[in-house]
């Protein structure tokens, strides 16, 4: 039986299959990302409870209720606004004899696309720090991966490359899927659902920098730790996908040196991914075996019962890790 020669199409199929395999491997980088992501919501909610205490201390409920009353009664009164971001600060005592006390303040944004660097960009409402989208891409990575034309890893794949239409296309699709764009007609809006959970009525002008809210130093540090946790999850996502990309590049370089299909399949098998020639020949250009009966049946099953809460996903993963530990 004659050996099948490799061509670029087969090389791409094998590399794409192995990329999927790499993302499913239980590596330290992947586990770190999962731990950061699955533990973040509890940190967010706990820190939000502290934020509510600090804001209520500055704007007592009775005062807010009175402001609502006056605003409803008089058309020219506009003093209440919902907000999800706050300037918290405290007075830092001088550490040296010649130093002076100084007020330390940072911007803390609880929205899905909130900044992670403590910088208020209210002058340009669309000028978010680059990491503000990266947090949402990382947190809702599974949801974006399931969406056609979305790629939650696109900014990592394009790291250190100039902005280009390829990246813009996927970022626009990601933003629409998350609810950052698309208007009220966007029925599934992760951004809207997220942001609605973190809103408070505040007295004051429109911009949150006009409302400096005093807190204690320990409270301020708690907000900083929460903000850093967002950055840590982004970095865990970055390191994991960077590792996958580096391995994928190595795979492509190795396959490029092979002449026959069986050589590439042997390499894949030795690397932990079982495949055969028929699967590569029958699969589509993305490397997914859509015509293999077993895989087609599995794909069909995966399309059902998709309305699973994040809590259920976390519980399922905890059960999985428990079984792995028992093994």
């Amino acid at each position: 039986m004659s050996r099948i020669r490799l061509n670029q199409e087969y090389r791409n199929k094998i590399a794409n299959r192995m990329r999927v395999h790499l993302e499913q491997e239980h590596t330290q980088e992947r586990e770190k990302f999962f731990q950061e992501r699955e533990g973040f919501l509890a940190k967010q909610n706990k820190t939000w409870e502290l934020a509510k205490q600090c804001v209520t201390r500055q704007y007592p409920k009775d005062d807010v209720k009175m402001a609502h009353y006056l605003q409803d009664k008089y058309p020219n009164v506009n003093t209440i606004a919902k907000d999800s971001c706050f300037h918290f600060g405290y007075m830092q005592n001088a550490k040296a004899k010649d130093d002076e006390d100084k007020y330390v303040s940072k911007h803390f944004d609880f929205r899905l696309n909130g900044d992670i660097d403590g910088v208020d960009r209210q002058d340009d409402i669309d000028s978010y720090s680059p990491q503000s989208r990266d947090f949402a891409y990382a947190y809702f990575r599974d949801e974006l991966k399931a969406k056609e034309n979305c790629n939650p890893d696109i900014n990592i794949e394009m790291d250190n490359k100039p902005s280009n239409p390829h990246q813009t296309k996927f970022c626009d699709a990601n933003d629409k899927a998350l609810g950052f764009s698309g208007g009220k007609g966007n029925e599934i809006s992760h951004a809207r659902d997220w942001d609605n959970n973190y809103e408070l009525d505040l007295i004051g002008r429109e911009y949150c920098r006009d409302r400096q809210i005093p807190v204690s130093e320990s409270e301020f540090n708690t907000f900083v730790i929460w903000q850093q946790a967002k950055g840590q999850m982004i970095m865990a996502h970055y390191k994991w996908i960077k590792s996958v990309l580096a391995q994928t590049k190595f795979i492509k370089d190795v396959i490029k040196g092979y002449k026959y299909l069986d050589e590439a399949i042997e390499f894949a098998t030795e690397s932990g991914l079982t495949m055969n020639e028929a699967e590569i020949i029958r699969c589509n250009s993305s490397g997914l075996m859509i015509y293999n009966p077993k895989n087609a049946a599995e794909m069909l099953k995966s399309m059902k019962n998709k309305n699973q809460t994040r809590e259920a996903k976390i519980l399922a993963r905890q059960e999985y890790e428990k079984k792995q530990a028992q093994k």
Side-chain angles (χ1 to χ4, degrees), residues 261-324:
L261 179 57
D262 57 20
E263 295 176 305
I265 288 178
E266 182 182 359
F267 168 59
T269 302
E270 290 293 328
S271 301
L273 175 60
T274 302
M275 65 173 74
N276 57 52
E277 292 181 355
E279 290 173 349
I280 295 302
I281 294 171
R282 290 189 299 180
C283 72
N284 65 5
S285 60
S286 68
L288 297 174
M289 298 175 293
I290 59 175
Y291 302 114
N292 179 286
K294 182 178 179 180
N295 286 279
E298 289 298 322
M299 185 178 294
L300 181 62
K301 291 177 183 177
S302 70
M303 295 178 181
K304 303 172 183 177
N305 303 320
K306 297 179 72 173
N307 188 23
Q308 188 179 28
T309 65
R310 181 161 293 276
E311 289 73 17
K313 292 179 182 178
I314 294 174
L315 181 61
R317 177 159 184 80
Q318 290 172 342
E319 288 294 324
Y320 170 80
E321 291 177 346
K322 184 178 180 181
K323 290 180 181 178
Q324 290 294 107

Side-chain angles (χ1 to χ4, degrees), residues 59-95:
Y59 301 103
K61 292 182 179 179
D62 288 343
D63 291 354
V64 173
K65 185 177 179 180
M66 176 58 71
H68 265 298
Y69 169 77
L70 294 173
Q71 184 166 286
D72 293 340
K73 184 175 182 178
Y74 300 104
N76 62 330
V77 175
N78 184 17
T79 187
I80 288 286
K82 289 188 178 295
D83 214 340
S84 305
C85 57
F86 317 98
H87 280 270
F88 293 129
Y90 71 98
M91 187 60 70
Q92 186 180 74
N93 296 327
K95 296 181 179 180

Side-chain angles (χ1 to χ4, degrees), residues 15-16 78 140 163 172 211 216 245-246 277 293 296 299 301 317:
N16 289 336
N78 184 17
F140 287 103
S163 181
D172 289 346
R211 299 185 295 268
S216 69
L245 293 174
E277 292 181 355
M299 185 178 294
K301 291 177 183 177
R317 177 159 184 80

Side-chain angles (χ1 to χ4, degrees), residues 21 43 52 75 96 104 109 152 176 204 215 228 240 269 297 312 327:
H21 171 70
K43 296 176 184 176
K52 288 199 292 187
V104 179
D109 195 337
K176 185 174 181 179
V215 297
Q228 290 172 343
W240 171 41
T269 302
K327 289 181 182 180

